[in-house]
């Protein structure tokens, strides 16, 4: 058939081979053009990104999520800054653990101004707040305030009040129960989160200052001792409350009693919140009728740090009327003569020397006492 059509099979094969040879060259040319085109597009894209700044979008998005985690510790100032919001979400175990951090180097690497932490243990509002506002005025940077109230209480304060947003996460505290000591430890732990707090004073809503801020600050800061009432009461309301199950951690000879209202320095405050030796004993064996808030801190601290205690309280109370609670003073009680009787005859040891200034605070004062207190405070209290 190929002969009839005038076609030589050899010629046909040659033609087909010649037609197939250019294909690899065309493929190579196509690939080269694609590579050049892609390179050109890449160069143009890079120049556009640099010109319009599109490349900043990626890192900016990441900085909002990742970088703040590292910004907290990039300087000592940020690391030691006290919490801006006291209403944290830590439970007591987490709080006490965090508050127990203690620097091992005594010299601070910052300019630290020691402050007094005023810790108010209350049920609800602070009826004497206007008097305290006057007391604190002009002394910013030298004090901190913490309020432990009933969990259900919501304070109605303006942002100009020194008590504004100073409530801490709280729980119900019952008089004479371990929950009262828990509340006091909670106040100490929250105050310890501010590394500038050096002294810690426990107060109630019925307490008032007896001197101006300057006198109280100097008295506390210059003292070589902490003011915790500690004494051995051999009677039924002292040793009579001792439970023999408290041995061997606490013996009868070590059992002490004291006022609930105290002042301690930072070292003693840390020892209180980190305690796991005496706390279980008092919780289990100082039950109702023992009034654990009168015994736990005085006993524990007198065992551990007897040389650091003044063995007296700086909060004045009047027990002359008898009963389970001290006298409460109202509107008609607040006179010049009332304070004169309070200040006269005071005698105590301050830094092992006789002194006639023994009390810095007083209780219990009813809400009705506020107006006469405000009237007399410039003349009698010095502020």
């Amino acid at each position: 058939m190929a002969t009839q059509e005038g076609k030589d099979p050899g010629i046909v094969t040659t033609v087909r081979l010649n037609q197939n040879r250019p294909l690899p060259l065309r493929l190579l040319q196509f690939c080269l053009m694609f590579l050049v085109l892609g390179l050109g597009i890449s160069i143009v894209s890079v120049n556009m990104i640099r010109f319009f700044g599109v490349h900043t979008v990626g890192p900016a998005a990441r900085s909002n999520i990742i970088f703040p985690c590292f910004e907290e510790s990039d300087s000592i100032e940020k690391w030691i800054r006290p919490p801006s919001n006291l209403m944290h979400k830590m439970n007591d175990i987490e709080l006490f653990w965090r508050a127990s951090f203690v620097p091992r180097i005594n010299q601070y690497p910052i300019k630290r101004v020691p402050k007094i932490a005023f810790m108010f243990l209350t049920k609800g509002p602070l009826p004497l707040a206007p008097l305290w506002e006057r007391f604190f005025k002009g002394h910013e940077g030298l004090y901190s305030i913490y309020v432990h109230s009933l969990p259900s209480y919501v304070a109605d304060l303006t942002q100009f009040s020194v008590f504004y947003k100073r409530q801490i996460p709280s729980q119900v505290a019952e008089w004479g129960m371990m929950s009262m000591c828990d509340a006091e430890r909670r106040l100490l732990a929250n105050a310890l989160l501010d590394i500038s707090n050096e002294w810690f004073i426990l107060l109630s809503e019925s307490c008032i200052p007896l001197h101006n801020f300057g006198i109280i600050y100097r008295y506390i800061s210059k003292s070589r001792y902490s003011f915790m009432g500690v004494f051995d009461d051999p009677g039924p309301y002292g040793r009579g409350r001792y439970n023999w199950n408290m041995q061997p951690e606490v013996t009868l000879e070590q059992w002490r009693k004291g006022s609930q209202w105290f002042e301690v320095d930072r070292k003693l405050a840390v020892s209180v919140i980190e305690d796991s030796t005496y706390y279980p004993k008092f919780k289990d064996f100082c039950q109702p009728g023992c009034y654990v808030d009168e015994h736990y801190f005085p006993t524990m601290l007198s065992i551990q740090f007897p040389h650091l205690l003044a063995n007296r309280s700086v909060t004045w109370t009047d027990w002359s009327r008898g009963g389970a609670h001290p006298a409460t003073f109202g509107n008609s009680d607040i006179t010049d003569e009332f304070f004169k009787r309070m200040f006269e005859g005071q005698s105590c040891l301050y830094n092992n020397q006789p002194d006639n200034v023994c009390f810095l605070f007083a209780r219990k004062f009813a809400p009705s006492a506020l107006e006469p207190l405000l009237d007399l405070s410039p003349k009698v209290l010095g502020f």
Side-chain angles (χ1 to χ4, degrees):
M1 185 180 298
T3 304
Q4 290 178 355
E5 292 178 357
K7 295 181 180 178
D8 187 348
I11 298 173
V12 174
T13 302
T14 302
V15 172
R16 289 177 179 173
L17 289 173
N18 292 336
Q19 290 175 344
N20 291 336
R21 284 177 182 173
L23 291 178
L25 181 59
R26 291 179 181 178
L27 182 60
L28 182 60
Q29 291 174 342
F30 177 78
C31 292
L32 184 60
M33 291 176 61
F34 184 79
L35 180 62
V36 172
L37 181 61
L39 183 60
I41 293 174
S42 298
I43 293 173
V44 173
S45 299
V46 170
N47 289 330
M48 290 181 64
I49 289 173
R50 290 179 177 176
F51 181 77
F52 291 105
V54 180
H55 68 288
T56 60
V57 175
R62 288 198 304 271
S63 67
N64 290 335
I65 300 173
I66 300 174
F67 289 178
C69 296
F70 299 97
E71 288 177 357
E72 291 297 327
S73 59
D74 66 359
S75 72
I76 190 67
E77 289 290 343
K78 292 181 179 179
W79 190 84
I80 64 172
R81 183 180 301 149
S84 58
N85 183 10
L86 297 185
M87 297 302 290
H88 54 74
K89 296 182 180 180
M90 291 184 285
N91 58 37
D92 281 354
I93 295 176
E94 296 167 337
L95 172 64
F96 293 167
W97 178 83
R98 172 64 184 87
S100 67
F101 289 1
V102 178
R104 304 293 294 180
I105 300 177
N106 293 329
Q107 188 68 34
Y108 287 90
I110 58 169
K111 183 180 179 181
R112 177 179 180 263
V113 178
K115 296 190 295 185
I116 297 178
F118 291 82
M119 308 179 302
F120 291 85
L121 181 59
T122 76
K123 293 181 178 179
L126 293 164
L128 303 177
L131 182 68
W132 283 102
E133 298 267 6
R134 182 184 292 181
F135 169 78
F136 287 120
K137 187 176 181 180
H139 301 284
E140 294 75 13
L142 295 177
Y143 68 87
S144 300
I145 295 173
Y146 303 86
V147 180
H148 186 294
S149 60
L150 290 174
S152 59
Y153 174 69
V154 179
D156 183 18
L157 299 167
T158 69
Q159 61 180 338
F160 303 106
S161 172
V162 295
F163 296 99
Y164 181 68
K165 289 188 176 181
R166 301 312 298 175
Q167 285 181 265
I168 65 169
S170 59
Q171 298 180 29
V172 174
E174 298 179 84
W175 178 63
M177 305 291 288
M178 200 62 182
S179 59
M180 183 67 73
C181 294
D182 290 337
E184 296 169 11
R185 296 177 83 205
R186 203 172 292 123
L187 279 164
L188 284 170
N190 278 276
L192 281 166
L193 296 181
D194 186 343
I195 200 169
S196 293
N197 287 331
E198 184 64 26
W199 306 283
F200 306 79
I201 299 173
L202 182 67
L203 302 159
S204 75
E205 67 267 38
S206 66
C207 288
I208 67 166
L210 292 178
H211 304 276
N212 62 46
F213 186 92
I215 291 176
I216 290 179
Y217 186 90
R218 286 191 297 273
Y219 196 96
I220 295 296
S221 62
K222 299 297 183 181
S223 175
R224 298 198 296 267
Y225 304 97
S226 289
F227 296 98
M228 172 78 67
V230 178
F231 61 96
D232 182 8
D233 181 357
Y237 302 113
R239 291 197 178 194
R241 296 173 179 174
Y242 178 77
N243 187 318
W244 292 96
N245 289 307
M246 311 229 14
Q247 295 189 79
E249 286 79 6
V250 180
T251 66
L252 177 62
E253 291 72 26
Q254 294 172 321
W255 182 257
R256 293 294 182 268
K257 183 178 181 180
S259 172
Q260 176 186 2
W261 315 103
F262 60 79
E263 178 276 327
V264 294
D265 64 12
R266 193 171 185 88
K267 179 178 181 178
L268 298 190
V270 172
S271 72
V272 168
I273 61 106
E274 71 179 7
D275 171 47
S276 60
T277 300
Y278 304 99
Y279 181 90
K281 288 290 185 175
F282 279 89
K283 183 177 181 181
D284 293 339
F285 303 115
C286 192
Q287 296 293 335
C290 174
Y291 301 102
V292 64
D293 53 291
E294 295 181 0
H295 296 280
Y296 173 40
F297 295 152
T299 300
M300 179 189 68
L301 293 179
S302 66
I303 294 174
Q304 293 183 317
F305 307 102
H307 59 291
L308 298 180
L309 301 177
N311 295 334
R312 65 181 179 90
S313 173
V314 287
T315 300
W316 179 88
T317 53
D318 181 5
W319 292 93
S320 62
R321 301 180 186 180
H325 300 280
T328 300
F329 304 101
N331 184 291
S332 59
D333 297 304
I334 311 304
T335 62
D336 286 323
E337 186 63 27
F338 170 79
F339 283 105
K340 184 178 180 180
R341 292 194 305 269
M342 184 188 300
F343 289 130
E344 281 183 348
Q346 291 189 17
S347 178
C348 58
L349 291 179
Y350 176 76
N351 288 337
N352 300 322
Q353 298 297 320
D355 202 344
N356 58 8
V357 177
C358 303
F359 298 107
L360 306 181
F361 309 95
R363 64 187 303 270
K364 301 171 61 173
F365 291 84
S368 63
L370 176 61
E371 289 303 322
L373 284 172
L374 289 174
D375 292 339
L376 288 175
S377 68
K379 174 184 176 182
V380 177
L381 306 180
F383 62 90

